[in-house]
Amino acid sequence: MIGDSSADGRSLLGRVRDRLEGPNTIGDSTTFWGAFAVVVAALAVYPQVVGPYTVIQTSRYFALAFLALSLCFIWGYAGVLSFGQVAFFGVAAYVFGIVGINLGSVTGAMVALVAAVVGGTLAAALLGYFMFYGGVRDTYVTIMTLVVALVLNTFMAQTAGSEWAVGEAQLGGFNGMNVPSLAFGIGQSGLVLERAALYYALLVTLVATYLGLRVLVNGSFGMTMVAVREDEARTATFGYDVPFVKLVVFTIGGALAAVGGVFYASWGNYVDPTVFGIGFAALPVVWVSIGGRESLLGAIGATLVIERMRTELSSGIGPVGSEWALVIVGGLLLTVILFMPAGVVPTLDDLADRARSRRTEQSQSTTATEEPVE
Amino acid sequence: MSTPQDINVRQKPAVAATGGGVDTILATKRLTKNFGGLTAVDGVDFSVDEGEIRCLIGPNGAGKSTLLELITGQLSPSAGDVYFDGHDLTGMDTHARIDTGISVKFQSPHVYENLTVAENLRVPLQRADGDTDGVLAETLDRIALEAKADTGASDLSHGEKQRLEIGMAVTLDPALMLLDEPVAGMSIEETADVANLIRSLHDDGMTFVVVEHDMEFVRQISDRVTVLNQGSIFRQGPIEEIEADEDVRRIYLGENA
């Protein structure tokens, strides 16, 4: 009996691992999952050992990691480079603010969350539909998505007048809009996600999203995405509706960016048109290029590290003034693209693989040379 | 120019050929493709019977590959129609045409270079129902790449890539297979293997249209041969007649002799 149940337990764990692992993600070893558990546990105790300022800053990095995942998913796995994922991030942030302000209760914040994610997702589906069914491809997708973000930037920037209001929500132009916090509960009472609560909500959502995306990219849909990335024309000749596949991928990417946008707006209780600006639009491309566009973990890790670095640099370290922050990030991007075109995480994985196979070869050759002596 | 013949396109799938009547599975009707001032395919009425192996030959630039791309929908015609197995394919997207039961292998190998052999086969296979693992093993055996299932496609030889590509097309279990130069760049042994593969699939009921320059290979597999020249059908008939034809020798075969 005991043996039976433990065998069942193992096969369940095995089945879960089978779905999480595959050729499209890095990290399939027991060591990897052990390290993953340790890192998640460390992040869980992190707020207990650092000050509240660091907890709040780290929450911001977590919210931005959704934006990185969104780009990593569509660019790394389906080959669609969007320079405008911030558009769906920003649309969701504004919708969250507008609905949240107008409803103005804890229940209202929950409705606003749903409305914002739906709004950001629909915006991506609409843009994706016109692009992919209109035959827009490659760099033109990149340009068009950037243009959409910049148009939104210009439009939102001129909404300063009092006539630009949706119900009670003033859009506020350059000055931005104050946004309520995410909350769960009924009526006026419930859990408001601020400080450590927001941190834990983000950590749980981020880990769940990461694992969910691993299942998706290692399943048959992931194989379809990779086939589209590798060769669109050939994939169509196996009966795949390539524009539809890209539309689905782009819409999922929009949903991920929208989730990030809601958390981001709730984190700062504020959103302004710079979320659509070119400076912010470039950041996801920087994170994902450095972390490795074919690595979900790389995208998250690079976001956390680079944003932490930018925060530290913006207050200036030693002789290095804050004005150097962007130069240093830009230099890092150039260095990575030159020396590790696949990104940091895939390159490290490749090096580890090579070291492992060299060790196997060495141990084989040692036994081979020892044998005649014996 | 001949007047367009009546097109006897099969209306229902899987009607057994009764007695002498053989059904037409593929027919193009006055199919034309212009590229700027050049007419690559010029009013072609090309029809293929169910269950035959038809070879398409002709000099470079005769319009053979263009004709295949018009059938699969990679290109859209300037004029004319394509019918297959009771479907009017004209205006359909490539993926919808494939779903009616067509597979294609292009001229230059188009395998997914960054995927392994098994992953390459899974891309078409995962759209099929049933025992895909069984079909995968069977296909690997058929194209003699069992030992290289986990090898990256970029590490395959040219001949192996050609076989893999044919294997990928075969996994869709099509009624009609279009092969553009399946043995280009292959050794004599590899060519014989591909001929055997085509014949065994043909015995299972698959219809083939094969574009090929290798006349020895054409002799091994073809039922009938269509000669294209300057975008039009120049001659059509059994291989012996075609090879004996003075005009065909002059425009095409002479080059090879």
Side-chain angles (χ1 to χ4, degrees):
Chain A
M1 281 301 140
I2 293 160
D4 279 353
S5 69
S6 77
D8 274 347
R10 206 177 305 135
S11 76
L12 178 68
L13 195 65
R15 275 204 303 277
V16 171
R17 266 189 70 168
D18 273 351
R19 304 205 50 187
L20 285 167
E21 295 174 0
N24 297 330
T25 49
I26 287 162
D28 289 347
S29 61
T30 307
T31 321
F32 169 82
W33 288 114
F36 181 77
V38 168
V39 169
V40 172
L43 287 172
V45 294
Y46 192 57
Q48 315 304 324
V49 293
V50 297
Y53 173 77
T54 308
V55 173
I56 289 171
Q57 283 304 320
T58 309
S59 302
R60 186 175 149 269
Y61 312 149
F62 284 166
L64 294 174
F66 285 93
L67 192 53
L69 280 178
S70 144
L71 180 64
C72 175
F73 183 70
I74 65 169
W75 183 25
Y77 290 91
V80 178
L81 171 52
S82 163
F83 218 107
Q85 287 311 95
V86 292
F88 318 121
F89 182 92
V91 164
Y94 269 100
V95 171
F96 179 73
I98 291 167
V99 176
I101 289 168
N102 280 291
L103 296 179
S105 64
V106 171
T107 317
M110 287 162 70
V111 175
L113 163 67
V114 175
V117 173
V118 169
T121 308
L122 281 181
L126 191 71
L127 179 60
Y129 176 80
F130 285 114
M131 287 195 305
F132 302 129
Y133 283 84
V136 178
R137 292 176 55 177
D138 305 331
T139 41
Y140 298 98
V141 170
T142 312
I143 293 165
M144 198 172 275
T145 46
L146 177 60
V147 166
V148 166
L150 295 183
V151 165
L152 286 168
N153 177 245
T154 308
F155 177 82
M156 292 314 294
Q158 55 87 50
T159 58
S162 58
E163 71 274 22
W164 289 102
V166 182
E168 292 169 35
Q170 290 286 335
L171 297 184
F174 273 123
N175 299 322
M177 184 167 75
N178 291 319
V179 173
S181 292
L182 267 172
F184 290 93
I186 299 156
Q188 297 296 344
S189 62
L191 173 66
V192 177
L193 295 183
E194 283 171 333
R195 299 164 194 280
L198 180 63
Y199 177 95
Y200 284 113
L202 271 159
L203 180 61
V204 169
T205 318
L206 189 59
V207 170
T209 305
Y210 168 69
L211 295 177
L213 286 176
R214 275 190 73 124
V215 172
L216 189 60
V217 300
N218 283 320
S220 66
F221 186 71
M223 191 58 121
T224 306
M225 290 169 73
V226 168
V228 167
R229 177 188 77 199
E230 295 292 314
D231 194 334
E232 281 185 27
R234 191 66 181 121
T235 306
T237 64
F238 295 127
Y240 288 97
D241 186 346
V242 171
F244 181 72
V245 172
K246 291 208 280 190
L247 174 60
V248 171
V249 170
F250 197 70
T251 305
I252 294 172
L256 291 167
V259 170
V262 171
F263 275 121
Y264 187 78
S266 169
W267 169 82
N269 291 123
Y270 177 73
V271 57
D272 72 18
T274 56
V275 291
F276 298 119
I278 192 159
F280 191 51
L283 284 176
V285 182
V286 173
W287 302 326
V288 172
S289 299
I290 291 178
R293 58 187 180 280
E294 291 174 31
S295 168
L296 298 165
L297 202 60
I300 297 173
T303 309
L304 303 187
V305 170
I306 292 168
E307 285 309 296
R308 175 73 189 258
M309 209 177 81
R310 272 173 16 99
T311 309
E312 303 286 343
L313 286 172
S314 68
S315 49
I317 292 181
V320 182
S322 61
E323 67 275 17
W324 287 91
L326 279 176
V327 176
I328 290 169
V329 171
L332 184 65
L333 176 66
L334 289 179
T335 313
V336 168
I337 286 175
L338 265 177
F339 297 106
M340 310 181 211
V344 171
V345 172
T347 305
L348 290 179
D349 181 60
D350 199 39
L351 286 176
D353 273 354
R354 247 183 271 170
R356 213 171 300 138
S357 63
R358 204 175 310 130
R359 217 174 303 133
T360 326
E361 266 168 42
Q362 254 167 13
S363 68
Q364 275 165 355
S365 67
T366 355
T367 37
T369 47
E370 276 168 5
E371 265 167 19
V373 180
E374 286 173 358
Chain B
M1 281 274 78
S2 61
T3 54
Q5 70 231 42
D6 284 341
I7 291 157
N8 171 27
V9 177
R10 204 173 61 149
Q11 291 301 318
K12 281 182 225 155
V15 176
T18 48
V22 180
D23 290 318
T24 301
I25 193 166
L26 173 75
T28 71
K29 195 177 169 188
R30 306 191 88 168
L31 198 61
T32 302
K33 180 67 187 179
N34 301 312
F35 291 111
L38 175 82
T39 303
V41 171
D42 188 1
V44 167
D45 292 322
F46 175 66
S47 66
V48 177
D49 289 340
E50 186 174 8
E52 77 168 311
I53 299 179
R54 176 72 63 89
C55 286
L56 263 176
I57 64 170
N60 289 328
K64 307 178 297 287
S65 295
T66 306
L67 181 58
L68 288 199
E69 289 179 2
L70 289 168
I71 294 169
T72 57
Q74 305 302 116
L75 294 174
S76 45
S78 309
D81 301 294
V82 181
Y83 299 94
F84 169 72
D85 201 12
H87 304 275
D88 181 355
L89 299 189
T90 327
M92 277 170 123
D93 288 335
T94 297
H95 69 90
R97 296 183 191 212
I98 300 303
D99 280 344
T100 64
I102 300 177
S103 265
V104 60
K105 177 225 157 289
F106 291 115
Q107 189 168 354
S108 52
H110 260 73
V111 296
Y112 300 107
E113 298 279 341
N114 295 326
L115 306 186
T116 67
V117 169
E119 285 166 1
N120 265 278
L121 288 167
R122 275 208 188 92
V123 171
L125 254 181
Q126 67 178 11
R127 295 191 66 250
D129 303 320
D131 177 23
T132 50
D133 285 348
V135 178
L136 179 68
E138 189 187 308
T139 309
L140 282 170
D141 179 55
R142 216 160 199 176
I143 59 177
L145 287 175
E146 309 98 312
K148 301 209 166 179
D150 295 322
T151 303
S154 54
D155 292 335
L156 296 181
S157 71
H158 177 77
E160 288 170 333
K161 280 185 192 173
Q162 292 268 41
R163 292 213 301 277
L164 173 58
E165 181 132 33
I166 295 171
M168 290 160 83
V170 166
T171 55
L172 293 174
D173 195 21
L176 172 68
M177 177 80 89
L178 308 170
L179 299 175
D180 197 347
E181 302 200 13
V183 297
M186 281 190 171
S187 68
I188 294 171
E189 294 78 25
E190 285 175 323
T191 302
D193 288 343
V194 171
N196 285 332
L197 175 62
I198 290 176
R199 271 197 298 263
S200 86
L201 291 165
H202 176 244
D203 291 343
D204 296 343
M206 209 175 277
T207 307
F208 283 86
V209 173
V210 182
V211 172
E212 193 47 72
H213 283 290
D214 181 337
M215 286 310 289
E216 178 53 39
F217 180 68
V218 171
R219 259 176 239 124
Q220 286 175 33
I221 61 165
S222 67
D223 292 323
R224 280 196 292 171
V225 175
T226 298
V227 185
L228 278 181
N229 189 36
Q230 295 179 351
S232 303
I233 293 179
F234 186 74
R235 287 288 185 281
Q236 194 157 286
I239 179 73
E240 303 78 25
E241 273 178 34
I242 295 295
E243 285 195 295
D245 191 300
E246 285 295 315
D247 292 332
V248 173
R249 297 189 74 85
R250 182 173 49 78
I251 65 146
Y252 176 58
L253 295 179
E255 298 172 3
N256 286 9

